[in-house]
């Protein structure tokens, strides 16, 4: 044995760290918008789009709003999409009949959400649930697209 | 007669991952919800302080104040203290100063906005030895402009804080991106079962651990791949993918913070040194090698 020094216990250190942080309390300084999402203004220049994106693959029939002229009721609508690797919940805000913002509110996906970080802004740009399937994140894309489609279906229902 | 306990589940999003909280209790959901909201609030708090994907986060603001001791929050201080201790004990195999390296390897997308980050710092020369802490003054000093990446411990800390916030409930499971803390029993009244994902066969459970009052965290080369195809496990000494013979390390410890950090460190160290690290720390582990062989420590 090169060293007989007893290692410091990281378990003990972590336990006291947790206790100290908990006691200090958390400060609610987060701005009102706590969720993930993209408003119309999000800059997504294709040049620095970080995830590999394949060419657009049509999503199944549930994508309702690819045509011009589809109008939605104003308001905020939610939808849930499923995949074999978990579900995604979104909140879609309709203003003046158009998709204004798309926000991922919940996820049980097994994959990091950054894989589909560009998809909310795509929905806003295209005014459609038909997003590109993100390479290496097909399940996440599928769940996201399904969630948007459901929210848009709710926005259409009279 | 005791009312039948029900399983209540909440899901949310923070720290680039989905979070699931389960509480088994004989109370209605509405009664538990405020406590769960507080528990989930911890994930947001830890993320806000520790994220390197927001130039305005407390940890990223340090970069602009290189050379000056900066007084920091309790949270950032404790995370840094733990990460530096882990770095020291692994001779820098684990090193929180790899943030810029990760950024350049494609781990640079803010998952909330989709924006990518390019922080202008030199990645090659810095190490954890360029960071010093002063516990009395509560300050962090960066001697070089480094980006601190606390990904390997922050999620664990958030899980521990959430579990503590749920302290009134004896039967709880807090899960974030595959890392989990379990307390008490599951809805069937049994000890919790935690499966370890097989690192090479999607959807296959390599092993099931039956345990309680414990955290189980797994670090694997399969979970996160950057936009250029490299994994998120970085051997700080080489600033590249480690020459580890392991494909996944699961650690069982009393805290998720320790389990999270130690699993990442053991993953970088490889089987021989990884096993020694886990043994010396008195934690449990399942280390899976590329050929599928499993090594077990203290379980």
């Amino acid at each position: 044995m090169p060293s007989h020094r007893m290692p410091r216990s990281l378990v003990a250190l972590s336990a006291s760290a947790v206790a100290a942080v908990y006691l200090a309390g958390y400060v609610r300084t987060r701005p009102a918008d706590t969720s993930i999402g993209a408003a119309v203004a999000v800059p997504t220049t294709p040049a620095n789009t970080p995830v590999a994106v394949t060419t657009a693959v049509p999503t199944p029939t549930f994508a309702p709003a690819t045509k011009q002229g589809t109008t939605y009721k104003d308001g905020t609508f939610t939808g849930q999409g499923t995949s074999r690797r978990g579900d995604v919940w979104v909140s879609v805000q309709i203003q003046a009949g158009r998709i204004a913002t798309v926000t991922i509110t919940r996820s049980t996906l097994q994959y990091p959400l950054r894989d589909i970080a560009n998809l909310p802004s795509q929905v806003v740009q295209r005014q459609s649930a038909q997003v590109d399937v993100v390479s290496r994140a097909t399940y996440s894309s599928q769940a996201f697209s399904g969630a948007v489609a459901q929210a848009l279906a709710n926005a259409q229902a009279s | 007669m005791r009312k039948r306990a029900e399983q209540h589940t909440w899901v949310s999003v923070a720290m680039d991952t989905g979070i699931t909280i389960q509480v088994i209790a004989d109370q209605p959901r509405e009664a538990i919800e405020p406590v769960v909201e507080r528990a989930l609030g911890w994930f947001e708090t830890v993320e806000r302080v520790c994220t390197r994907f927001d130039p305005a986060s407390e940890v990223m603001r340090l970069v602009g104040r290189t050379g000056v001791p900066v007084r920091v929050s309790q949270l950032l201080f404790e995370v840094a203290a733990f990460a530096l201790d882990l770095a020291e004990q692994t001779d820098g195999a684990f090193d929180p100063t790899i943030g810029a390296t990760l950024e350049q390897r494609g781990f640079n997308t803010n998952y909330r906005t989709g924006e990518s980050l390019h922080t202008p710092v030199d990645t090659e020369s810095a190490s954890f030895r360029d960071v010093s802490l002063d516990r009395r003054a509560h300050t962090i000093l960066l001697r070089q402009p480094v980006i601190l990446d606390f990904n390997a411990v922050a999620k664990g800390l958030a899980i521990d804080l959430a579990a503590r916030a749920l302290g009134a409930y004896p039967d709880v499971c807090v899960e974030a991106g595959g890392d989990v803390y379990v307390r008490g029993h599951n809805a069937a009244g049994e000890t919790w079962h935690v499966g370890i994902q097989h690192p090479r066969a999607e959807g296959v459970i390599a092993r099931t651990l039956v345990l309680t009052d414990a955290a189980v965290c797994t670090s694997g080369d399969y979970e996160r791949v950057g936009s250029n195809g490299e994994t998120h496990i970085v051997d700080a000494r080489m600033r590249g993918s480690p020459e580890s013979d392991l494909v996944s390390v699961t650690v069982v410890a009393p805290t998720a913070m320790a389990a999270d950090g130690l699993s990442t460190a053991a993953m970088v160290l490889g089987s021989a040194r990884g096993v020694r690290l886990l043994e010396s720390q008195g934690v449990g582990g399942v280390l899976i090698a590329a050929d599928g062989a499993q090594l077990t420590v203290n379980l």
Side-chain angles (χ1 to χ4, degrees):
Chain A
M1 286 276 285
S3 165
H4 293 277
R5 194 170 54 112
M6 269 296 280
R8 279 182 307 281
S9 166
L10 288 161
V11 169
L13 184 63
S14 67
S16 61
V18 173
V21 173
Y22 192 82
L23 279 175
Y26 69 78
V27 211
R28 273 205 184 272
T29 55
R30 195 173 187 86
D33 177 22
T34 65
S35 38
I36 308 162
V40 194
V42 168
T44 45
T45 35
N48 62 15
T49 300
V51 279
V53 176
T54 65
T55 45
V57 174
T59 36
T61 47
F62 49 56
T66 48
K67 294 198 305 279
Q68 306 299 320
T70 313
T71 51
Y72 303 113
K73 288 185 297 180
D74 283 4
T76 303
F77 303 89
T78 57
Q80 178 182 359
T82 61
S83 80
R84 284 177 55 202
R85 296 283 174 260
D87 298 357
V88 167
W89 286 257
V90 299
S91 164
V92 175
Q93 209 186 358
I94 307 287
Q95 280 171 6
R98 291 178 55 80
I99 303 170
T101 63
V102 177
T103 308
I104 298 172
T105 52
R106 293 181 167 192
S107 158
T108 56
L109 288 171
Q110 294 172 17
Y111 306 109
L113 287 165
R114 80 172 111 73
D115 291 351
I116 51 170
N118 288 306
L119 297 188
S121 54
Q122 260 187 30
V123 172
V124 174
Q125 279 160 6
R126 297 180 186 177
Q127 294 292 304
S128 161
Q130 274 189 249
V131 292
D132 296 340
V133 171
V134 179
S135 150
R136 284 201 225 95
T138 47
Y139 291 119
S140 304
S141 312
Q142 182 192 339
F144 173 81
S145 175
V148 174
Q150 195 186 74
L152 291 179
N154 292 335
Q156 268 183 315
S158 52
Chain B
M1 203 184 86
R2 191 172 178 270
K3 269 199 291 178
R4 212 172 67 84
E6 260 186 88
Q7 175 178 322
H8 304 281
T9 304
W10 288 262
V11 295
S12 183
V13 156
M15 307 182 91
D16 194 11
T17 192
I19 300 157
T20 306
I21 290 182
Q22 290 177 50
V23 177
I24 291 106
D26 56 7
Q27 289 176 28
R29 187 180 173 86
E30 311 80 71
I32 309 169
E33 189 137 294
V35 186
V36 172
E37 290 295 331
R38 281 229 305 282
L40 291 171
W42 276 113
F43 282 92
E44 288 176 12
T45 298
V46 174
E47 174 176 18
R48 194 177 64 240
V49 170
C50 297
T51 184
R52 63 178 172 81
F53 298 101
D54 176 1
S57 72
E58 193 178 4
V59 70
M60 288 304 281
R61 286 200 312 260
L62 292 176
V63 184
R65 302 193 58 194
T66 303
V68 188
V70 180
R71 197 174 158 77
V72 295
S73 66
Q74 185 88 36
L75 200 161
L76 185 56
F77 188 88
E78 297 294 347
V79 167
F82 180 85
L84 290 178
D85 212 303
L86 183 58
E88 216 167 274
Q89 296 208 28
T90 57
D91 292 325
F94 171 86
D95 189 329
T97 64
I98 55 165
T101 304
L102 286 169
E103 197 178 273
Q104 288 176 7
R105 283 159 72 95
F107 292 95
N108 64 340
T109 308
N110 180 326
Y111 75 98
R112 288 184 189 273
T113 62
E115 289 170 278
S116 29
L117 283 102
H118 303 280
T119 314
V121 301
D122 171 28
T123 57
E124 296 310 318
S125 52
S127 86
F128 72 96
R129 294 189 177 84
D130 296 308
V131 184
S132 15
L133 305 187
D134 182 334
R135 191 167 272 282
R136 276 178 60 197
H138 238 263
T139 56
I140 297 181
L141 164 67
L142 304 184
R143 285 196 207 83
Q144 290 206 55
V146 291
I147 299 178
L148 295 169
D149 180 85
F150 292 132
N151 208 36
V153 293
K155 191 167 68 176
L157 170 67
I159 291 173
D160 291 329
L161 292 165
R164 190 174 263 252
L166 293 160
Y169 297 96
D171 301 312
V172 164
C173 174
V174 179
E175 184 264 340
D179 292 340
V180 52
Y181 179 86
V182 288
R183 180 162 67 221
H185 298 89
N186 66 18
E190 310 158 337
T191 306
W192 290 97
H193 290 47
V194 179
I196 301 174
Q197 154 78 43
H198 194 290
R200 289 291 180 264
E202 213 188 338
V204 174
I205 301 296
R207 178 143 171 198
T208 299
L209 305 173
V210 179
L211 39 76
T212 192
D213 300 328
V216 182
C217 297
T218 297
S219 178
D221 68 353
Y222 58 92
E223 353 161 52
R224 298 192 168 207
V225 180
S227 50
N228 53 5
E230 292 195 79
T231 77
H232 71 301
I233 305 282
V234 168
D235 187 330
R237 297 162 302 182
M238 318 184 282
R239 303 275 154 179
S241 292
E243 286 164 10
S244 173
D245 54 341
L246 297 171
V247 290
S248 125
V249 175
T250 300
V251 170
V252 179
T255 65
M257 192 182 195
D260 200 1
L262 286 168
S263 61
T264 306
M267 182 71 201
V268 174
L269 287 171
S271 56
R273 291 188 61 202
V275 165
R276 280 208 297 279
L277 173 69
L278 303 189
E279 280 175 347
S280 73
Q281 287 294 328
V283 298
V286 177
L287 300 84
I288 303 182
D291 62 3
Q294 290 186 21
L295 293 161
T296 301
V297 179
N298 292 331
L299 284 175

